[in-house]
Amino acid sequence: MLDQGAPPQSRTSAASPSLGPIASLTRRKPVERLVAEGGQGEGGSLRRSLGLWQLTMISIGATLGTGIFVVLGEAVPKAGPAVTLSFVIAGLTALFSALSYAELAGTIPVAGSSYSYAYATMGELVAWICGWCLVLEYGVSVAAVAVGWGEYLNELLDGTIGVTIPDALSAPPGDGGLFNLPALIVVLLAMAFLLGGARESARANTVMVCVKIAALVLFCAIGIQGFRSGNYEHFMPLGMAGVSAAGATLFFSYIGFDAASTAGEEARNAQRDLPRAIMLSLVIVTALYVLVAAVAVGAKPWQRFNDSEAALAQIMRDVTGQGFWGTLLAACAVIAIASVVLTVLYGQTRILFAMSRDGLVPKVFARVHPKTGTPRANTVIVSLFCGVLAAAIPLGQLADATSIGTLFAFALVNIAVVVLRRTRPEMPRTFRVPLSPVLPALGLGFCVWMIGSLSAVTWVVFGVWMAAGLVFYFGYGHRRSRLATPES
């Protein structure tokens, strides 16, 4: 049933059976209806149990650790010591988009994140494209981070019992192995936590976030002892192009600050707490990233990073001359990176939950277990997909594919916040982007610039992914959309 309080243009967009083929692609879902359906699934409802602290920890858990523990070793060879500048550029890009996310999360507090924001402002086709990008962003990043977890697990095993998992079982095809078993294991462990419920998962994540912050502070305290100013003499050896390329890769490190927005239907006071959680988490993460990167490059010449996925543990070992500290950091990293897998996997399931409720993907993804209040089938399907992906694809290809999907979705969010300001200026907003539309325009510009810095191979992968998504949409989602049926 249509919301009678929705504006005329929103009511018309929902009555899509009478629309032509082109107009049906731009049908919009009224904001009031998005909010009214919050938490409702097939056979049950999500439970509102998360406060500001848990939401902030979800965002930090999904963000902090990925770039520092995993991707730093890949980014330093691209930018040299100027990798610290790359972190700042990536952080600014994330900040502009975070402002837009904060406004929309407070206005439309639902599980779909930027997919739902696009559905309310730019229509179904754009919403689908955004949602498909989010599937790439969250699903592939789970796999990418799981690969890095396996690297640190080997560091931990080597430092404690003197053995490591053979390459055949700890590296994917193309990296000298057959199957990355540790990456699959950590995804399955995260799945087990999520099946227990959102509150229980949030508690486990909070503990892991505290461990990872303590680990990074410990690294800085020890790494600064090996700091050599000479490592910064040639600050930008590969020029601004290298800084830009590293920034595009490191943007992968910032995906996750929007994870709180995927919890909109499980937050106790979503309109108040979501904007605060998004901004607070991004500030904390950016400060730690820049500090740790500065210490890492000061303690180790940039030419010696050579794409190591366990770079921080190696630096601790080199600075102290003892294996204990590197092993301790590896143990913390094993816990820390697991929290990224947990929270990003959570975000992926909630986005598919929202898309399924709208009819754009199969109903199984919106089915909620009545006892735990979680989308169980959704969680199992997504976990198995991400686990197999992590076991079979090298890290570098995963990270870049994730970055382009993220940047595309963020660009749409910056557009959506301006559109909603124009079409629904009367709506109450618990947070407003300052200097709009200037800052959203800057956010859009930064996203476009960083997308252009990614490799041609990444663009090809993204093109194939989007083509597959459009085939699925026109073959399934467009006809089954709830806005396409008379009863909707």
Side-chain angles (χ1 to χ4, degrees):
M1 186 177 216
L2 294 180
D3 189 305
Q4 298 302 315
Q9 66 269 28
S10 297
R11 293 199 299 269
T12 302
S13 66
S16 53
S18 62
L19 296 179
I22 301 300
S24 66
L25 300 178
T26 61
R27 56 195 175 204
R28 288 174 290 154
K29 189 171 184 179
V31 174
E32 291 80 4
R33 178 172 171 179
L34 280 165
V35 175
E37 291 178 352
Q40 299 176 18
E42 296 286 333
S45 300
L46 302 177
R47 297 175 181 172
R48 293 192 177 274
S49 59
L50 305 178
L52 175 60
W53 172 253
Q54 291 92 340
L55 292 170
T56 304
M57 290 299 103
I58 286 174
S59 281
I60 294 178
T63 312
L64 183 60
T66 311
I68 288 297
F69 285 112
V70 180
V71 186
L72 182 65
E74 247 186 68
V76 172
K78 295 180 180 180
V83 71
T84 51
L85 182 57
S86 299
F87 267 114
V88 172
I89 291 173
L92 282 174
T93 304
L95 174 61
F96 289 130
S97 296
L99 292 170
S100 295
Y101 262 101
E103 177 170 329
L104 291 172
T107 309
I108 314 174
V110 293
S113 186
S114 52
Y115 154 76
S116 295
Y117 310 153
Y119 212 164
T121 56
M122 291 177 280
E124 188 171 283
L125 178 60
V126 175
W128 169 262
I129 291 172
C130 188
W132 196 242
C133 286
L134 291 175
V135 171
L136 180 66
E137 170 191 344
Y138 280 85
V140 178
S141 67
V142 167
V145 177
V147 172
W149 185 84
E151 294 287 335
Y152 275 98
L153 180 63
N154 261 339
E155 287 281 335
L156 177 60
L157 292 175
D158 185 40
T160 52
I161 59 177
V163 299
T164 59
I165 301 172
D167 287 346
L169 295 177
S170 63
D175 275 3
L178 298 175
F179 193 76
N180 193 330
L181 181 61
L184 175 61
I185 289 174
V186 72
V187 174
L188 295 181
L189 288 173
M191 178 187 75
F193 275 110
L194 291 174
L195 290 175
R199 178 186 295 176
E200 291 73 14
S201 301
R203 287 173 179 169
N205 173 66
T206 297
V207 173
M208 290 188 281
V209 167
C210 291
V211 169
K212 78 168 75 176
I213 291 176
L216 293 176
V217 171
L218 175 66
F219 170 81
C220 291
I222 293 178
I224 197 70
Q225 300 175 32
F227 192 91
R228 300 289 183 272
S229 59
N231 290 338
Y232 278 92
E233 283 184 358
H234 302 289
F235 182 70
M236 203 180 292
L238 302 176
M240 197 61 199
V243 173
S244 176
T249 296
L250 287 173
F251 191 78
F252 171 78
S253 313
Y254 288 92
I255 73 164
F257 75 80
D258 58 324
S261 67
T262 67
E265 296 175 24
E266 290 161 285
R268 290 194 295 268
N269 191 340
Q271 289 183 307
R272 182 195 67 187
D273 292 340
L274 288 181
R276 296 179 182 180
I278 290 171
M279 298 308 300
L280 183 60
S281 63
L282 185 61
V283 169
I284 293 172
V285 166
T286 302
L288 281 170
Y289 274 165
V290 173
L291 178 62
V292 173
V295 171
V297 175
K300 183 177 183 178
W302 69 272
Q303 299 92 335
R304 291 173 50 202
F305 273 77
N306 60 31
D307 291 350
S308 170
E309 277 115 12
L312 298 191
Q314 294 175 6
I315 291 172
M316 293 274 275
R317 188 179 297 112
D318 292 344
V319 169
T320 63
Q322 302 175 12
F324 169 77
W325 294 108
T327 302
L328 178 61
L329 187 74
C332 293
V334 166
I335 297 172
I337 296 173
S339 76
V340 181
V341 176
L342 174 67
T343 49
V344 175
L345 190 63
Y346 167 86
Q348 173 69 99
T349 60
R350 270 43 179 188
I351 289 164
L352 283 172
F353 172 85
M355 296 176 73
S356 176
R357 185 171 57 200
D358 292 333
L360 301 185
V361 298
K363 289 184 178 180
V364 65
F365 291 100
R367 194 173 299 152
V368 176
H369 192 274
K371 291 185 178 180
T372 61
T374 59
R376 278 194 171 182
N378 180 344
T379 302
V380 171
I381 293 170
V382 170
S383 299
L384 292 178
F385 172 79
C386 293
V388 171
L389 199 64
I393 308 295
L395 172 65
Q397 296 175 23
L398 290 171
D400 284 348
T402 303
S403 292
I404 195 168
T406 305
L407 288 164
F408 200 88
F410 283 11
L412 293 177
V413 169
N414 284 297
I415 297 172
V417 74
V418 176
V419 171
L420 194 63
R421 284 273 192 103
R422 297 290 180 90
T423 58
R424 301 295 304 277
E426 81 290 349
M427 289 192 67
R429 291 166 168 82
T430 55
F431 177 86
R432 300 178 70 90
V433 179
L435 302 177
S436 180
V438 175
L439 292 188
L442 286 173
L444 175 63
F446 268 93
C447 288
V448 171
W449 174 50
M450 296 192 77
I451 286 175
S453 300
L454 292 168
S455 67
V457 174
T458 303
W459 271 99
V460 171
V461 171
F462 182 67
V464 171
W465 175 260
M466 292 309 301
L470 290 174
V471 168
F472 186 91
Y473 171 70
F474 286 109
Y476 181 92
H478 182 63
R479 293 182 293 105
R480 295 175 183 264
S481 168
R482 289 186 61 195
L483 295 187
T485 58
E487 63 270 18
S488 67

